[in-house]
Amino acid sequence: MLKWIALVVVLALAVVLVLAANRPGTFRVERSAYIQAPPEEVQGYIEDFHQWPRWSPFEKLDPAMQRTFSGAEQGRGAVYAWAGDGKAGAGRMEVVEIDPGRRVTIALEFLKPFKASNTAEFTLAPRDGGTEVTWAMFGPVPFVAKVMHLFFDVDSMVGKDFEAGLASLKGLAEKS
């Protein structure tokens, strides 16, 4: 009986490993929202990390989170690091590219609860007197993450946060 149980466990593990090995090597999560404000105004809330507590859903994960700003005050070279407990974890963001009124690209380094290097990108497109904003995050998926992705849907988990953040950004920009 124990041999059969061991065989089933080994086979199940083999199936999981084979399925994980065949998963894509990259991921992309994105959400969009229409904001009744000009692209340059919306971009100001994105490229200035001092503004993020006003709209980012990740800021609400840990009210006692430690925040450090360095580099440029805003725009290319602006750096924001955070360290919290629980869900907030620790990491660092740096604005690495700005295309005025069109795109903000951010290098995103997670340190805790797991290490990962990704890119966050905000694209802004003028539409009907306002701005169509797309918030995307993408990057590589190492093998361990491929296994985790078999059991957890990153798109639906992070996508909900992106939707909440875009709704807050919309409310903030449209009030101005």
Side-chain angles (χ1 to χ4, degrees):
M1 183 69 160
L2 287 176
K3 287 181 183 180
W4 284 108
I5 292 172
L7 181 63
V8 168
V9 169
V10 168
L11 286 175
L13 183 59
V15 168
V16 166
L17 294 176
V18 168
L19 288 173
N22 288 305
R23 301 278 302 176
T26 61
F27 81 97
R28 182 178 182 90
V29 175
E30 76 175 41
R31 297 294 187 273
S32 297
Y34 175 76
I35 298 176
Q36 186 63 47
E40 296 77 16
E41 184 178 331
V42 176
Q43 182 174 330
Y45 292 109
I46 298 167
E47 70 180 1
D48 181 355
F49 289 135
H50 298 91
Q51 297 293 327
W52 281 51
R54 298 176 69 191
W55 64 269
S56 173
F58 302 108
E59 293 288 332
K60 296 171 181 71
L61 293 177
D62 179 4
M65 181 169 57
Q66 299 296 310
R67 297 167 180 86
T68 306
F69 301 95
S70 61
E73 189 67 22
Q74 69 181 49
R76 190 166 193 255
V79 176
Y80 171 54
W82 72 93
D85 51 9
K87 292 182 182 179
R92 178 183 188 276
M93 298 189 292
E94 180 175 355
V95 177
V96 294
E97 186 180 341
I98 296 282
D99 186 354
R102 293 185 180 179
R103 186 176 62 249
V104 176
T105 306
I106 299 169
L108 182 55
E109 299 291 326
F110 295 102
L111 303 173
K112 291 181 182 177
F114 55 86
K115 290 188 178 195
S117 296
N118 298 316
T119 300
E121 184 176 70
F122 292 84
T123 55
L124 306 123
R127 184 172 68 87
D128 301 328
T131 306
E132 184 73 26
V133 180
T134 300
W135 184 0
M137 182 172 67
F138 51 91
V141 181
F143 187 76
V144 172
K146 288 181 180 186
V147 173
M148 291 172 53
H149 287 191
L150 290 172
F151 303 100
F152 302 101
D153 182 22
V154 174
D155 185 82
S156 64
M157 288 175 14
V158 176
K160 291 176 185 177
D161 292 325
F162 283 14
E163 290 165 9
L166 289 169
S168 292
L169 182 60
K170 176 182 175 70
L172 184 61
E174 289 180 354
K175 258 189 213 177
S176 298

